[in-house]
Amino acid sequence: MKQGIFAVAENTPLNDKVSRLVLRGDASALERPGQFVQLRLPGLYLRRPFSVCDRDADSFTVLFETVGKGTEKLRNTKTGDEFDALTGLGNGFDLNAGGDTPLLIGGGTGLSPLYWLAKELIMRQKQPIALLGFNSVSDIFYEAAFRALGVETVVTTVDGSYGRKGFVTQAMDREHTGFYACGPEAMMKAVCACTDKPGQLSLDRRMGCGFGACMGCTVKTKSGLKRICKDGPVLSSREVIWEI
Amino acid sequence: MGDLSVNLCGIELDNPVIPASGTFGYGYEFAELYDINCLGTFSFKGTTLHMRTGNPQPRIAETNAGMLNAVGLQNPGVDAVIREELPKLAKVFHKPVIANVSGFSAAEYAEVCRRLDAVPQIGWLEVNISCPNIHGGGMSFGTDPKAAAEVTRAVKGVTAKHVIVKLSPNVTDIAEIARACEDAGADALSLINTVMAMRIDLKTRRPVLANTTGGLSGPAVFPLALRMVWQAYEAVSIPIIGLGGIRSAEDVIEMMLAGATAVQIGAANLVNPFACRDIIDALPETMERYGIKTLSKLTGGAH
């Protein structure tokens, strides 16, 4: 974990609600895909966690949906605006847990950490297949970005307005050695019910600190109590106890 | 440079800054970031006789100028704390530490304190009779002078360590509770614990916290804490640790002027993990600005 000041290098709307934010600064604490950052946002007391979509030595990228006061402010930030960030938080994905042909299953902005994961998996000669689920054609983003990595990418929409109609689970009829998933909890639960292969899930809970001190985000798992911020956010599909 | 040291029940602290229980774990997370031996001391995560898994999710909510928590004293239980956590803590922190204790009966408080009494690295026992997030214990002792005195006496009977009683702000007359604890033998008081509060989600029309209510902390409660420290200082002659919303060296000085011998920093650690170090670093310059040479002489200076 590191604390630092980051400047907005790019803030691009990807559709009506989702934006891509590139923050420039010392990103060296971000070592593994699946890790997250805690941003201090103007007018809010607690920091807010954001999954990291990509990073290099001197910047990181987050994809976020405008859902409340904090993300509204973030949506309207300008190039050069500065943010205080804690970086390198959480455990990140195990790059071997999904085998050689893992499914990367993302629901909405849940696809964010899977992009960096896809890059790392490809570097290790693995052949991930991305299944990206959205509600409708107007919600879609990052399909081209995944394809540009050379990743076979299947898009599903609930209303059938683009790609395969239905939920991401309907596109899971592919040979796979394991899976990585991030998205709404109901989606991840359904994903786990569709395969007997080992999986890794990136979970989300209301956090206080984001670095393991306050016990605000602790959940019960089959392997004991886990702080989502410190012992997660990535948990094995076999240890999660669903609360929904 | 001015003198930052203070004396808490006969133990000298390099400075009055103490991370508050429940916001600093057992220190390891912060020791990754900076040398936590710069702290006066710290109060580690609240400890109960048996393991507690804590409350259901969500446990945290944002508020204006603060936060709510309803963690519910998640901890591995006193024996695991002594066996596993304290040896690790000893590797990163080399000063006497404060053990924060909770329970569901006077006898249970006493039993936890009896077991902790044997641990040399513990300098003080902070008896938490003010947790708003557990049912049938905690705060119910801190809102009744007789029950507060009963717990204090029970604990004093089993330990030679200094006993700090941590008081609840959720009372009508803080002076009455403070006096009851002093009369029962408390060596010091710490106040305030969090203020019982809640938020409701407009979309779901349900309380945000699974526990319905939680404890409010952060800058929002600072003036309330300051007032209660002031009132307690008027009522007792034992030392007071002031806490509630402190986030700057100026806040430390203000709290000491109200009557605090030392201070605890809670919510600020969660927002800025360097908060305690930053406050300690800022103290000498801030003291100079206000013509303060010896910090310890400030205590109660505004009365």
Side-chain angles (χ1 to χ4, degrees):
Chain A
M1 167 169 68
K2 276 190 183 175
Q3 183 261 339
I5 302 297
F6 290 77
V8 174
E10 181 198 320
N11 184 10
T12 312
L14 301 178
N15 62 32
D16 284 354
K17 286 185 176 168
V18 178
S19 303
R20 178 177 60 212
L21 187 71
V22 180
L23 289 167
R24 200 165 297 288
D26 175 10
S28 60
L30 288 161
E31 293 170 347
R32 285 177 301 284
Q35 287 189 306
F36 68 99
V37 298
Q38 280 266 74
L39 296 183
R40 216 166 168 177
L41 300 173
L44 294 182
Y45 183 67
L46 294 169
R47 291 173 188 264
R48 291 297 190 271
F50 293 86
S51 209
V52 172
C53 173
D54 200 5
R55 71 96 178 80
D56 55 32
D58 62 357
S59 76
F60 65 85
T61 302
V62 296
L63 307 180
F64 66 93
E65 185 175 343
T66 307
V67 290
K69 284 181 198 163
T71 44
E72 265 165 37
K73 283 183 176 132
L74 213 49
R75 172 99 170 174
N76 295 317
T77 54
K78 306 269 183 296
T79 303
D81 286 354
E82 290 188 335
F83 290 94
D84 180 328
L86 297 178
T87 55
L89 303 174
N91 57 352
F93 292 109
D94 177 342
L95 299 175
N96 294 313
D100 288 335
T101 50
L103 299 177
L104 310 186
I105 306 167
T109 46
L111 66 80
S112 177
L114 303 179
Y115 179 77
W116 179 11
L117 174 65
K119 286 174 94 172
E120 297 286 335
L121 291 174
I122 290 164
M123 278 168 55
R124 285 162 182 76
Q125 278 72 52
K126 297 182 191 293
Q127 290 182 296
I129 302 164
L131 311 180
L132 310 178
F134 302 92
N135 283 320
S136 188
V137 63
S138 60
D139 300 323
I140 295 170
F141 58 93
Y142 257 53
E143 179 194 5
F146 274 88
R147 289 196 198 283
L149 295 177
V151 173
E152 184 185 342
T153 303
V154 179
V155 171
T156 64
T157 53
V158 177
D159 66 2
S161 53
Y162 185 90
R164 287 176 69 168
K165 181 175 164 60
F167 294 107
V168 280
T169 43
Q170 272 136 322
M172 284 178 68
D173 51 354
R174 302 292 305 254
E175 287 293 314
H176 58 279
T177 52
F179 68 95
Y180 299 89
C182 182
E185 207 133 307
M187 180 205 91
M188 290 196 284
K189 186 180 178 183
V191 162
C192 291
C194 280
T195 173
D196 55 4
K197 297 289 194 302
Q200 292 219 302
L201 310 173
S202 178
L203 279 86
D204 187 19
R205 285 291 179 281
R206 295 245 186 176
M207 289 178 189
C209 62
F211 51 88
C214 74
M215 316 288 162
C217 61
T218 307
V219 297
K220 287 177 186 167
T221 74
K222 289 169 190 163
S223 39
L225 294 176
K226 296 218 167 174
R227 297 163 295 179
I228 290 298
C229 72
K230 180 86 177 180
D231 310 311
V234 177
L235 300 184
S236 155
S237 60
R238 294 187 170 149
E239 65 183 332
V240 170
I241 298 171
W242 297 105
E243 291 168 10
I244 51 166
Chain B
M1 181 168 140
D3 179 2
L4 274 67
S5 68
V6 298
N7 189 303
L8 187 61
C9 309
I11 301 177
E12 188 92 345
L13 307 185
D14 294 334
N15 60 67
V17 176
I18 306 170
S21 181
T23 65
F24 213 72
Y26 300 95
Y28 334 131
E29 282 80 15
F30 295 85
E32 283 176 27
L33 293 172
Y34 66 94
D35 181 1
I36 62 172
N37 289 288
C38 69
L39 303 168
T41 175
F42 81 92
S43 183
F44 63 77
K45 179 73 188 151
T47 304
T48 51
L49 185 57
H50 303 293
M51 180 203 179
R52 285 181 57 84
T53 56
N55 287 324
Q57 290 288 337
R59 300 175 173 185
I60 300 286
E62 170 94 18
T63 70
N64 285 327
M67 62 178 286
L68 303 183
N69 91 81
V71 170
L73 290 174
Q74 179 192 333
N75 81 98
V78 64
D79 291 337
V81 168
I82 293 171
R83 194 176 59 242
E84 287 159 29
E85 306 293 351
L86 296 186
K88 282 195 275 177
L89 188 158
K91 287 185 185 146
V92 294
F93 190 67
H94 313 307
K95 299 176 180 180
V97 73
I98 302 175
N100 183 286
V101 173
S102 261
F104 293 85
S105 67
E108 192 179 334
Y109 275 100
E111 182 55 28
V112 178
C113 289
R114 192 184 64 74
R115 295 187 196 186
L116 291 169
D117 184 66
V119 182
Q121 77 202 89
I122 294 171
W124 308 260
L125 295 170
E126 183 177 48
V127 179
N128 177 7
I129 56 168
S130 43
C131 179
N133 296 326
I134 58 173
H135 301 280
M139 195 174 86
S140 56
F141 295 100
T143 51
D144 171 27
K146 284 200 189 81
E150 186 197 347
V151 172
T152 307
R153 267 193 300 272
V155 168
K156 281 294 287 181
V158 297
T159 182
K161 300 211 189 275
H162 308 293
V163 172
I164 304 163
V165 183
K166 186 167 181 181
L167 302 184
S168 171
N170 305 298
V171 297
T172 310
D173 185 358
I174 193 74
E176 187 188 16
I177 307 264
R179 269 192 298 267
C181 294
E182 182 182 43
D183 292 346
D187 299 297
L189 302 174
S190 56
L191 64 149
I192 58 173
N193 204 318
T194 55
V195 181
M196 202 188 216
M198 72 181 291
R199 300 284 323 260
I200 293 170
D201 186 317
L202 300 190
K203 285 180 195 146
T204 63
R205 303 186 182 186
R206 298 292 306 152
V208 171
L209 298 173
N211 191 51
T212 305
T213 60
L216 173 64
S217 59
V221 306
F222 178 72
L224 177 70
L226 193 78
R227 181 267 293 178
M228 289 191 142
V229 167
W230 173 281
Q231 290 176 322
Y233 183 80
E234 300 252 309
V236 299
S237 55
I238 50 177
I240 295 166
I241 302 173
L243 72 150
I246 294 173
R247 56 178 167 168
S248 67
E250 284 83 355
D251 291 347
V252 173
I253 291 170
E254 194 172 342
M255 191 59 90
M256 291 182 76
L257 287 169
T261 293
V263 298
Q264 290 184 356
I265 315 290
N269 294 310
L270 308 183
V271 177
N272 171 18
F274 297 96
C276 286
R277 186 202 64 182
D278 291 352
I279 290 170
I280 293 165
D281 287 350
L283 268 171
E285 190 192 313
T286 313
M287 286 165 63
E288 202 174 307
R289 195 171 339 128
Y290 292 97
I292 302 159
K293 290 199 169 62
T294 308
L295 203 53
S296 62
K297 287 188 181 162
L298 282 185
T299 299
H303 288 259

